[in-house]
């Protein structure tokens, strides 16, 4: 029995069967739309995967509160460790509770080595100690000192802790724009000692006394250089 040919399907929107050309055009259109949908789906999938990886990395990275505010280095230990390189005793003031030492570091440049201590005081102000010296024992030059004290002029002198200090009283300056509102400059052997900051003059004076106490008498090496 001969197989009957299936009649062409009538396309509803045409009201008649498709022509060969219309069928080819429809299939080409359907294929193009399929590829476009697949591309969009792939893009969405890739985006979701990327966001997932970012989320995983975010969850894996340790986070917490700002640790710098609570950071405090051990000045006494670091001073002992750095002393052989400096060839002298280095200042390590016994500051009050509530102070945080943010830095204790030997620095070098322009023929001058300096032991730099930076603090956040109990009143959340800034205080610093600088012990500077040269390799040949010559005095630290005035230009370098002026740079550390923000080019401020001296306003007087006073004796404190066995050291005669040059005083820099500039408490009228804006603490938000300066690191030196009150400062003191003294000499220990051949070393220049600077104590300054944005806290009250009374607090800076106490710090200067603590610095002098920690240094004691000039080292034999430093004293010999001054002969």
């Amino acid at each position: 029995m001969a197989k009957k040919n299936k009649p062409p399907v009538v396309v509803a929107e045409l009201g008649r069967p498709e022509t060969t050309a219309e069928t080819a055009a429809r299939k080409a259109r359907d294929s193009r739309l399929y590829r476009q949908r697949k591309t969009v789906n792939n893009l969405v999938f890739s985006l979701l995967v990327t966001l997932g990886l970012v989320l995983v990395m975010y969850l894996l990275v340790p986070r917490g509160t700002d640790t710098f505010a609570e950071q405090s280095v051990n000045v006494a230990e670091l001073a002992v460790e750095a002393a052989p390189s400096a060839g002298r005793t280095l200042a390590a003031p016994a500051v009050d509770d509530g102070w945080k030492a943010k830095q204790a570091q030997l620095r070098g440049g322009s023929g001058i080595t300096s032991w730099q201590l930076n603090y956040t005081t109990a009143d959340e102000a800034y205080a610093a100690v600088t012990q500077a010296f040269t390799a040949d024992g010559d005095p630290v030059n005035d230009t370098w000192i002026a740079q550390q004290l923000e080019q401020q002029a001296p306003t007087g002198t006073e004796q404190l802790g066995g050291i005669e200090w040059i005083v820099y009283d500039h408490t009228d300056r804006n603490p938000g724009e300066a690191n030196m509102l009150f400062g003191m400059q003294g000499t220990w052997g051949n070393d220049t000692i600077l104590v300054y900051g944005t806290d009250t003059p009374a607090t800076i004076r106490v710090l200067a006394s603590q610095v002098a106490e920690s240094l004691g008498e000039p080292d034999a090496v430093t004293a010999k250089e001054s002969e």
Side-chain angles (χ1 to χ4, degrees):
M1 182 176 179
K3 184 177 179 181
K4 294 182 179 179
N5 290 328
K6 186 177 179 182
V9 177
V10 176
V11 179
E13 59 268 24
L14 296 176
R16 59 173 174 76
E18 288 180 323
T19 65
T20 302
E22 289 172 339
T23 299
R26 175 176 56 79
K27 290 182 177 180
R29 182 181 68 252
D30 291 345
S31 178
R32 175 172 51 80
L33 293 175
Y34 171 76
R35 290 195 301 271
Q36 289 176 346
R37 286 194 297 269
K38 188 173 182 181
T39 300
V40 172
N41 290 340
N42 287 340
L43 288 174
V44 172
F45 178 74
S46 298
L47 179 60
L48 291 175
V49 170
T50 302
L51 291 175
L53 290 174
V54 170
L55 177 61
V56 170
M57 293 175 64
Y58 175 79
L59 294 174
L60 290 177
V61 173
R63 293 175 305 281
T65 57
D66 181 12
T67 57
F68 181 76
E70 296 303 319
Q71 173 188 319
S72 185
V73 301
N74 190 316
V75 172
E77 289 184 2
L78 293 174
V80 171
E81 292 175 5
S85 297
R88 67 223 324 111
T89 298
L90 296 174
V95 298
D96 298 340
D97 293 339
W99 283 52
K100 294 181 176 63
K102 299 301 182 181
Q103 185 182 55
Q105 183 181 47
L106 269 179
R107 300 175 178 177
S110 302
I112 297 171
T113 302
S114 62
W115 171 241
Q116 182 69 37
L117 308 178
N118 294 327
Y119 295 92
T120 297
T121 72
D123 294 326
E124 297 298 322
Y126 171 74
V129 175
T130 304
Q131 178 180 350
F133 50 91
T134 61
D136 55 11
D138 288 341
V140 176
N141 65 76
D142 293 339
T143 300
W144 190 91
I145 295 172
Q147 290 174 345
Q148 310 312 304
L149 298 177
E150 300 180 349
Q151 309 295 337
Q152 299 304 300
T155 57
T157 60
E158 60 184 76
Q159 289 277 345
L160 194 63
I163 295 177
E164 182 173 353
W165 301 89
I166 300 172
V167 177
Y168 297 78
D169 189 346
H170 297 279
T171 51
D172 56 339
R173 302 180 77 200
N174 185 346
E177 300 175 354
N179 286 328
M180 210 295 294
L181 304 188
F182 186 87
M184 306 181 75
Q185 172 191 342
T187 301
W188 179 78
N190 292 335
D191 296 3
T192 293
I193 308 297
L194 305 177
V195 183
Y196 57 95
T198 60
D199 213 316
T200 64
T203 298
I204 300 301
R205 285 187 173 98
V206 170
L207 178 59
S209 297
Q210 293 165 336
V211 168
E213 183 177 355
S214 73
L215 290 171
E217 293 296 323
D219 293 335
V221 173
T222 306
K224 185 177 180 180
E225 291 174 350
S226 63
E227 293 177 355

